[in-house]
Each structure stands twice: as structure tokens, then as C-alpha cells.
Amino acid sequence: MKNLMNKMMNTCKEISIQVTNDEDLSAVDRLKQMIHLMMCPACQKFYKQIQYLNQGIRKIKIKDVDVADLSEKIINKYKQCFFH
Amino acid sequence: MYDIYMDSFSSPEFLKSLKNREASAISALVNKYNKTLYNAAFGMGMNSDQTQEVVQEVWASFFENIENFEGRSHIRTYLFGFLYNKAKEFWRTKKRHSEHEEYDVLVDSQYDGSGHWQAKPVDPEEFAAQTQTIGKIEECMEGLKDIQQKAFHLKEVLGLSGEEICNILDTSHTNLRVLIFRAKQRLRICLEGLVKR
């Protein structure tokens, strides 16, 4: 029985990989993940932590690079010159 | 994600003006994608001079080949294709140290040999306070390994697709999946370390 359970269940590590990647799972994998999470308090905590982490990550601002000069250079280089 | 396949850049009229090198079309396209292109190139680990150079080379290849572009794919995909070629060249000249590593001792030590938790995660509510404190995540990002940091930045901060990131970092989906896992696990461990026990 324990053997069968082990086969059906993903390891905590595999669940961690799925959760951190926020993957679109197949119906079977989704079910397996749900069952694992129901039975495993450590993974439940991990799951919640990652949700909080993701919220925090969304607040990270992209360092605003100023590409205006570069863009202008490129535009001027490639646009058709009408007045020779 | 918004649908990048439905916009004015897809119209035959736009493509025609672009091929005619009309200033308005060129400005629209360059202004729309130059920053993303720059950030993606920068995310490969170049300095800003190298990035500027690569971005200009990408546009040069793009305009050299625009006559052959028939609009079968989205113009963004076509443009980024030239970046991927540059990325491949870049990684070829780099030493292989940045390649995928088989182990990450810190991350692996969280689990025992059969993949069960060894160091159990702390209470999520206590953990949450750390993730909401401005600057803590950025601080912890310093502790990521080089390639993890790149993958994390491209995916989580810039929001590029898995496909795009694999092309830019010249790596497989399987590797990317592990890189993102390790990056977030490392961030989590670092943030947990800040929780008072």
C-alpha cells in the first residue's frame, strides 16, 4: 500500500518545482498536486510562502533604462531620407 | 499576458510603410520594442555598451532582412529572432561556467534523498512580512547564482515568455524550470532567514 502511494504521489521536491514555476498542469497532475498539498503540511506552508513571494516579486520595479537616445539614433539611421 | 498577435503592427499597410522606410512606421516600431529588446539583451549579462551595440546590430539585421518578411509571424517574433542569434553568438564566446549546473547544494539540502522536506518551511504569515518589505527581495536576489539571476530577472521581472527566455539564455525548458525553482527557493530561504524565530 505504501509502495502504491509512493508511486502515485509526487515528492515534495517535485511539488516545489511545480509551484515555483506556476505551471499549467494536466488534470491528472493538478489532482496529484491537490492531494499532495492536502496531506502535506510542509508543502502547504511552502505553497503559501510562494504566493506571498510572488506578490512581493510583482512589486519589483524594472529599472527604467533610458533608451530614447538609442531609439532616435536607430530611427534616424533607417528612415527613408526624402531630402537629399 | 496580452495578445501580441492582434495589433496594428500586423496589418499589411503597416508592413508596407515599414518596407518603404517611412519614418512614422519606423518610429512606432522602434519606440514600441527597443526597451524590451534592450532589457532582454541586458538580461543576458552584458554591460551597457555591449548591450547598446547588440541592440543596434539586431535592428541592422532586421532592416537588412525586412524585404523578405512576409508577415507570417508577428513582427515582434521576427525581430526577436535576430536577438536570439546574437544571444547564441554571445554564449558561444562565453566560458561554459554559466551553463546549467547539476547541483545547487543550498537548495538540495532542503530535501532528503527521497525528495521530502528536510528543513520545513516556517509559518507563512511570519514569512509574508518579509516579502512585503520593500527592498528585501532585491537584497536576496544578490544571493542567486549568476544564471539563476538571469533566468529569474527575464521571467519574473521582465515577464518574458518561457520560449523567449530559453532562446535568450540558450537553454532548454527543463533547465529553465529548474533554474526558476532554484531561484525562488533561494529567495525563500534567504527571506526565511530574516524571520525572527
Side-chain angles (χ1 to χ4, degrees), chain A residues 14-58:
Chain A
E14 174 58 27
I15 296 293
S16 301
I17 297 176
Q18 288 176 359
V19 169
T20 44
N21 278 278
D22 199 14
E23 287 171 333
D24 288 326
L25 300 171
S26 67
V28 175
D29 285 335
R30 204 165 52 231
L31 189 68
K32 277 166 94 174
Q33 193 190 79
M34 268 170 60
I35 295 171
H36 186 117
L37 286 174
M38 263 160 48
M39 292 166 52
C40 178
C43 282
Q44 275 170 29
K45 284 187 184 160
F46 179 81
Y47 183 88
K48 280 214 98 171
Q49 284 192 353
I50 295 301
Q51 306 309 311
Y52 286 126
L53 178 62
N54 286 342
Q55 282 175 18
I57 290 168
R58 261 173 251 132

Side-chain angles (χ1 to χ4, degrees), chain B:
Chain B
M1 283 289 274
Y2 58 96
D3 190 357
I4 58 164
Y5 296 101
M6 289 298 290
D7 59 29
S8 55
F9 295 137
S10 304
S11 73
E13 292 77 28
F14 180 80
L15 191 57
K16 204 174 152 217
S17 10
L18 197 63
K19 285 182 181 179
N20 289 336
R21 300 282 179 94
E22 283 171 29
S24 63
I26 290 183
S27 309
L29 192 73
V30 172
N31 287 325
K32 171 91 179 167
Y33 292 122
N34 208 27
K35 198 175 261 189
T36 318
L37 210 53
Y38 186 96
N39 280 325
F42 196 66
M44 283 155 57
M46 301 177 177
N47 64 32
S48 58
D49 284 348
Q50 291 167 324
T51 306
Q52 294 234 358
E53 204 172 297
V54 161
V55 168
Q56 292 182 64
E57 283 170 16
V58 169
W59 284 109
S61 311
F62 175 84
F63 283 111
E64 261 166 43
N65 290 285
I66 189 70
E67 282 304 321
N68 308 322
F69 178 66
E70 292 168 344
R72 287 215 192 97
S73 60
H74 192 271
I75 201 145
R76 184 186 197 272
T77 314
Y78 188 67
L79 176 66
F80 269 64
F82 295 106
L83 178 68
Y84 303 152
N85 288 335
K86 294 286 161 209
K88 287 225 167 67
E89 277 172 38
F90 175 76
W91 291 114
R92 253 202 301 275
T93 57
K94 271 234 152 187
K95 279 210 180 109
R96 282 325 212 173
H97 70 86
S98 52
E99 239 194 15
H100 185 69
E101 289 170 31
E102 206 171 335
Y103 304 105
D104 182 325
V105 179
L106 176 65
V107 171
D108 293 344
S109 71
Q110 302 296 302
Y111 309 90
D112 66 18
S114 51
H116 293 103
W117 285 101
Q118 187 130 273
K120 293 198 169 121
V122 301
D123 177 54
E125 303 308 322
E126 284 176 46
F127 176 85
Q130 298 302 330
T131 64
Q132 307 309 313
T133 312
I134 309 271
K136 288 281 185 234
I137 297 180
E138 281 98 328
E139 218 172 277
C140 286
M141 275 168 72
E142 305 283 320
L144 299 183
K145 294 189 178 190
D146 187 43
I147 187 86
Q148 294 169 356
Q149 205 173 62
K150 286 181 185 122
F152 179 83
H153 184 77
L154 292 168
K155 181 159 195 262
E156 303 289 333
V157 183
L158 298 181
L160 298 188
S161 73
E163 190 85 38
E164 290 172 325
I165 300 163
C166 286
N167 281 321
I168 290 166
L169 296 182
D170 197 20
T171 193
S172 69
H173 278 279
T174 318
N175 284 351
L176 180 61
R177 188 172 183 256
V178 175
L179 287 173
I180 294 297
F181 157 64
R182 286 179 179 165
K184 283 200 186 171
Q185 182 63 291
R186 272 179 173 262
L187 288 180
R188 194 194 67 80
I189 295 165
C190 173
L191 291 164
E192 251 194 357
L194 303 171
V195 176
K196 286 192 203 83
R197 304 201 188 211

